[in-house]
Amino acid sequence: MSDQSIIFFDIDGTLLDFNKQIPASTKQAIADLRARGHEVAIATGRAPFMFEKIRKELDIDTYVSYNGQYVVLRGEVVYRNPLHADALVALTETAIQNDNPIVYMDADDMRANVPEEHEYITTSISTLQVDKFPTYDPAYYQQREMYQCLLFCLEGAEQQYEANFKDFDFIRWHPMSVDVLPAGGSKAHGIAKITEKLGFPAERQYAFGDGLNDVEMLKQIHHSVAMGNAEPEAKAVARYVTKPVDEDGILHGLRMVGLLD
């Protein structure tokens, strides 16, 4: 363990470039990390079913999904943190009054509370270039544990929700959408569930990210790396800033921190 480290990678804007492709240099870098005995993991806001192909392509079976609410270690679920059920009912009622659609998300699927394709839903989710698209089931959240919701509203509109729903955190990921998470939930919290079980000390933990939902992770992880294309808030808290994702940013960052040469 003394020579082994664990490295967590965000997906969008970190592992994936702006065309939603994994750069060849990133694939090789991850293979090289494994060859040196390191543990490679994903830390993302995506649902598990939204990055299954990426996990298979990179041969990764340890991941933090839903921004820390659903955590899998070597294929086994080790942590779940669902949204507060009663608060979700109240949030839904307010969102309906405001004409703000919601997509409910559990470990296996996502369903929308509006029957037709809504512009906000179509526009934002299409940017992820995923195979699945939410179908209509307004009662979906009443039947099972939800780990994250997508609330579709324009920038600034989330402020009223932040003021009135203290059981949730609201993190914007698109001009038309925010993630709804359990209050205090973050990638950092989910990562801790893995590092504690595997026994990695702080000095052997690394993380790469670019978005607002990476800020807590980049604050907590000892060797944190913001992508060159990262949000200013992410760069401000990271220990290192590498090149953009489409300029071999992962490979450059791994060399910066001394994991590859």
Side-chain angles (χ1 to χ4, degrees), residues 183-204:
S186 70
K187 291 184 183 183
H189 188 68
I191 284 172
K193 300 298 179 180
I194 291 174
T195 56
E196 289 167 6
K197 283 186 175 293
L198 295 181
F200 281 99
E203 62 272 16
R204 289 290 176 179

Side-chain angles (χ1 to χ4, degrees), residues 187-247:
K187 291 184 183 183
H189 188 68
I191 284 172
K193 300 298 179 180
I194 291 174
T195 56
E196 289 167 6
K197 283 186 175 293
L198 295 181
F200 281 99
E203 62 272 16
R204 289 290 176 179
Q205 299 175 26
Y206 297 76
F208 287 69
D210 73 302
L212 296 178
N213 63 339
D214 294 316
V215 169
E216 290 302 317
M217 174 179 76
L218 296 175
K219 279 183 184 177
Q220 173 177 293
I221 299 300
H222 189 73
H223 300 287
S224 59
V225 184
M227 304 302 291
N229 50 275
E231 296 287 346
E233 294 90 338
K235 289 181 178 178
V237 299
R239 187 170 181 180
Y240 306 92
V241 177
T242 184
K243 295 180 180 179
V245 59
D246 56 352
E247 297 178 19

Side-chain angles (χ1 to χ4, degrees), residues 11-12 15-16 22 34 42 44-65 72 107-109 128-132:
I11 292 180
D12 298 284
L15 285 177
L16 296 184
I22 304 174
R34 279 213 186 80
I42 286 173
T44 180
R46 290 190 181 213
F49 54 82
M50 284 183 166
F51 63 102
E52 186 174 0
K53 286 184 178 179
I54 296 169
R55 297 199 305 272
K56 289 180 178 178
E57 186 173 358
L58 297 176
D59 192 24
I60 292 175
D61 61 1
T62 294
Y63 58 89
V64 172
S65 63
V72 172
D108 303 310
D109 207 350
L128 299 174
Q129 297 186 19
V130 293
D131 294 334
K132 279 182 175 285

Side-chain angles (χ1 to χ4, degrees), residues 69 80-92 104-105 141-142 144-149 165-170 180-183:
Q69 316 321 309
R80 296 179 176 90
N81 185 32
L83 295 163
H84 189 286
D86 292 339
L88 186 53
V89 172
L91 175 69
T92 296
Y104 307 102
M105 310 175 81
Y141 71 101
Q142 299 172 3
R144 48 187 59 79
E145 288 185 336
M146 297 294 114
Y147 298 103
Q148 183 171 290
C149 289
F165 295 95
K166 300 301 184 182
D167 287 307
F168 303 135
D169 287 337
F170 299 85
V180 182
L181 309 173

Side-chain angles (χ1 to χ4, degrees), residues 81-125:
N81 185 32
L83 295 163
H84 189 286
D86 292 339
L88 186 53
V89 172
L91 175 69
T92 296
E93 293 172 351
T94 299
I96 291 172
Q97 293 171 4
N98 293 338
D99 194 25
N100 294 145
I102 294 180
V103 167
Y104 307 102
M105 310 175 81
D106 65 3
D108 303 310
D109 207 350
M110 58 181 171
R111 304 291 174 86
N113 71 338
V114 291
E116 70 283 347
E117 288 190 6
H118 192 284
E119 176 191 358
Y120 291 3
I121 297 177
T122 302
T123 300
S124 56
I125 291 183

